[in-house]
C-alpha cells in the first residue's frame, strides 16, 4: 500500500541527503521539545523565541491519523493564535512566538510518546556591508540591490544571494554536482499564505535551520525558494548557475532542480508574481542545456522512494510537481493545476523579453 503524505520536512519525504553535523548557526537556530509520554497535549507556555515550527512523529511510529493541531503564543502580546492543522513534517511560519501547544487533530486522541516539536528562530536579517546603503539590506522593497546579477548570455531572474538572506555557511560540507538540469520539480512550503514578503528572508533562514537541525542535512534542501511576491532566493550552496544536487525530491535529486514556493497552495492558487518567477527560472535552467520547458524527460529513480523502485524509469514533464514522482500532495492541488500554464509561459520564446516580478521591483 502506498501512503500519501504532505510535502514534509522528513528525511523520507524529501531526499536521500547524507546527514552531517552542521555548526551552530551564526544567526538562525533551532531547538526541540519532546513528549515524554502519551498525553493529550504537548504544551510549553514559555519558550525561547521562534518563528517557524514542524511536528515530527516519533521514530518508528506512524504520524497521528488526521495530523495535528498547533497554536502559538505571540512574542509581543502574549496572546494565543488560532489552531492550525499540520501534517507531520510540514513547516509552519507562525511569526515571532514564545510559547506553543500541539494536540492530535482527532478528538480524544493522545500524542504518542517521543513526539518531537522542532522550533526555529531565523534571527535578524543580515547587516548590509559598509557603504552599500540601506537598499542593500533584505526586506520589503529593499531587496533588489542584494540580487545576483544575471549573466549576459542567459536571461535569468535576479536572485537574492545566500549572503543577502543570511544563510548559515559551512565550508566543511561537500557540494555535489550533477552534469546538467534535465527537469524542474516544483514544491510548496511554510504552510501559510498570510506572511508578509518582508519576512521572506527570515522564512528561508527558518527553513534552512529546520533542514539542518531537525533533519540533520548539510544545508537547505531546495535549489531555489520563491515567495508570493515573485522574489527568487538562492537555495543550496554551490553556485546558483551550476547543477547543484539538492535535497528536494527523493530518488530524483541528481540532474534536476528543486524550487519551493513559500505558501500553502492546496486550495488557493499561487499568485501570478510567483508563477511568473518560477516559469522564468525554469526556462533559464532548462534552456541552458538545450531542453524545451514544455517537453518531457525520462528519469531513473536512484533509490526506492515508496512510489518508484531503484532503477525504475519514469517519464515526466520537464517542469513537474513533487507529486509526479513521490507519494505526496505537494505542491498542492491548486498550484499543481497551474503547472500547464506555467509550462506554456516558460516555453514562450518571447517570455525572456517580459519582466519578471523581481525585475519589476527594481
Amino acid at each position: 500500500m502506498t501512503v500519501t503524505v504532505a510535502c514534509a520536512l522528513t528525511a523520507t519525504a524529501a531526499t536521500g541527503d547524507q546527514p552531517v553535523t552542521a555548526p551552530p548557526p551564526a544567526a538562525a537556530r533551532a531547538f526541540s521539545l519532546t513528549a515524554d509520554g502519551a498525553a493529550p497535549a504537548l504544551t510549553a507556555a514559555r519558550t525561547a523565541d521562534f518563528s517557524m515550527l514542524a511536528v515530527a512523529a516519533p521514530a518508528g511510529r506512524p504520524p497521528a491519523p488526521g495530523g495535528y493541531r498547533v497554536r502559538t503564543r505571540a512574542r509581543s502580546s502574549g496572546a494565543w493564535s488560532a489552531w492550525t492543522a499540520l501534517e507531520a513534517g510540514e513547516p509552519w511560519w507562525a511569526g515571532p512566538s514564545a510559547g506553543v501547544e500541539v494536540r492530535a487533530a482527532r478528538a480524544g486522541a493522545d500524542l504518542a510518546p517521543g513526539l518531537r516539536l522542532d522550533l526555529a528562530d531565523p534571527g535578524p536579517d543580515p547587516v548590509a556591508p559598509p557603504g552599500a546603503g540601506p537598499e542593500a539590506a533584505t526586506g520589503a522593497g529593499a531587496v533588489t540591490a542584494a540580487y545576483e546579477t544575471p549573466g549576459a548570455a542567459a536571461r535569468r531572474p535576479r536572485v537574492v544571494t545566500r549572503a543577502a538572506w543570511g544563510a548559515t555557511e559551512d565550508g566543511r560540507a561537500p557540494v555535489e554536482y550533477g552534469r546538467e538540469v534535465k527537469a524542474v520539480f516544483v514544491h510548496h512550503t511554510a504552510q501559510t499564505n498570510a506572511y508578509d514578503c518582508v519576512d521572506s528572508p527570515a522564512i528561508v533562514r527558518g527553513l534552512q535551520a529546520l533542514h539542518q537541525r531537525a533533519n540533520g542535512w548539510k544545508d537547505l534542501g531546495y535549489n531555489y525558494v520563491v515567495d508570493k511576491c515573485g522574489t527568487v532566493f538562492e537555495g543550496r550552496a554551490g553556485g546558483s548557475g551550476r547543477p547543484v544536487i539538492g535535497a528536494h525530491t527523493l530518488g530524483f535529486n541528481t540532474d534536476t532542480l528543486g524550487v519551493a514556493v513559500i505558501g500553502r497552495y492546496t486550495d488557493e492558487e499561487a499568485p501570478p508574481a510567483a508563477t511568473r518567477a518560477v516559469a522564468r527560472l525554469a526556462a533559464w535552467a532548462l534552456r541552458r542545456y538545450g531542453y524545451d520547458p514544455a517537453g518531457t524527460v525520462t528519469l531513473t529513480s536512484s533509490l526506492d522512494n515508496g512510489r518508484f523502485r531503484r532503477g525504475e524509469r519514469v517519464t515526466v514533464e520537464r517542469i513537474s510537481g513533487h507529486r509526479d514522482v513521490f507519494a505526496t500532495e505537494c505542491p498542492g492541488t491548486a498550484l499543481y493545476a497551474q503547472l500547464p500554464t506555467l509550462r506554456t509561459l516558460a516555453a514562450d520564446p518571447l517570455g525572456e523579453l517580459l519582466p519578471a516580478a523581481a525585475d519589476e521591483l527594481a
Side-chain angles (χ1 to χ4, degrees), residues 237-337:
S240 64
R242 304 180 65 183
V244 177
I245 297 176
H248 49 83
T249 308
L250 186 66
F252 299 90
N253 286 316
T254 301
D255 290 339
T256 66
L257 183 149
V259 53
V261 183
I262 299 174
R264 184 184 183 96
Y265 300 107
T266 301
D267 302 310
E268 180 180 337
E269 289 189 344
T275 55
R276 285 200 306 268
V278 174
R280 169 72 67 79
L281 182 65
W284 167 77
L286 293 168
R287 285 173 176 164
R288 290 180 68 230
Y289 298 96
Y291 297 128
D292 178 4
T296 61
V297 60
T298 299
L299 304 174
T300 301
S301 180
S302 63
L303 46 76
D304 297 348
N305 74 355
R307 180 169 179 182
F308 296 104
R309 299 185 63 82
R310 180 178 180 180
E312 189 171 353
R313 292 169 62 81
V314 55
T315 299
V316 296
E317 303 283 349
R318 292 278 183 187
I319 302 174
S320 288
H322 188 187
R323 64 169 66 183
D324 288 316
V325 293
F326 189 76
T328 175
E329 294 299 318
C330 185
T333 301
L335 177 52
Y336 188 77

Side-chain angles (χ1 to χ4, degrees), residues 54-334:
V55 180
R61 291 174 175 263
Y68 305 91
R69 295 185 301 129
V70 181
R71 65 173 183 166
T72 58
R73 191 174 64 82
R75 188 184 308 170
S76 57
S77 68
W80 286 93
S81 70
W83 290 97
T84 293
L86 290 179
E87 295 294 329
E90 289 183 338
W92 175 42
W93 176 257
S97 304
V100 63
E101 183 174 6
V102 57
R103 294 177 176 269
R106 190 173 63 182
D110 283 345
L111 299 175
L115 177 135
R116 191 179 79 240
L117 187 60
D118 296 314
L119 308 166
D121 175 17
D125 283 335
V127 177
E135 70 278 1
T138 56
V143 76
T144 54
Y147 282 113
E148 179 179 334
T149 304
R155 186 169 172 81
R156 172 178 52 184
R158 292 192 293 178
V159 177
V160 179
T161 64
R162 288 170 59 88
W165 60 258
T168 296
E169 302 293 359
D170 179 10
R172 301 171 301 171
V175 178
E176 297 179 272
Y177 296 97
R179 298 180 61 184
E180 57 185 346
V181 175
K182 297 179 179 178
V184 173
F185 287 109
V186 180
H187 304 250
H188 68 167
T189 192
Q191 306 309 316
T192 179
N193 300 329
Y195 63 92
D196 293 325
C197 290
V198 69
D199 292 324
S200 297
I203 294 174
V204 180
R205 291 196 302 275
L207 288 170
Q208 185 192 34
L210 286 180
H211 283 199
Q212 289 181 313
R213 290 304 192 187
N215 290 12
W217 301 347
K218 60 188 177 186
D219 197 1
L220 180 65
Y222 308 114
N223 298 103
Y224 295 92
V225 179
V226 176
D227 71 9
K228 64 184 180 182
C229 294
T231 304
V232 180
F233 296 86
E234 180 184 7
R236 174 158 292 213
S240 64
R242 304 180 65 183
V244 177
I245 297 176
H248 49 83
T249 308
L250 186 66
F252 299 90
N253 286 316
T254 301
D255 290 339
T256 66
L257 183 149
V259 53
V261 183
I262 299 174
R264 184 184 183 96
Y265 300 107
T266 301
D267 302 310
E268 180 180 337
E269 289 189 344
T275 55
R276 285 200 306 268
V278 174
R280 169 72 67 79
L281 182 65
W284 167 77
L286 293 168
R287 285 173 176 164
R288 290 180 68 230
Y289 298 96
Y291 297 128
D292 178 4
T296 61
V297 60
T298 299
L299 304 174
T300 301
S301 180
S302 63
L303 46 76
D304 297 348
N305 74 355
R307 180 169 179 182
F308 296 104
R309 299 185 63 82
R310 180 178 180 180
E312 189 171 353
R313 292 169 62 81
V314 55
T315 299
V316 296
E317 303 283 349
R318 292 278 183 187
I319 302 174
S320 288
H322 188 187
R323 64 169 66 183
D324 288 316
V325 293
F326 189 76
T328 175
E329 294 299 318
C330 185
T333 301

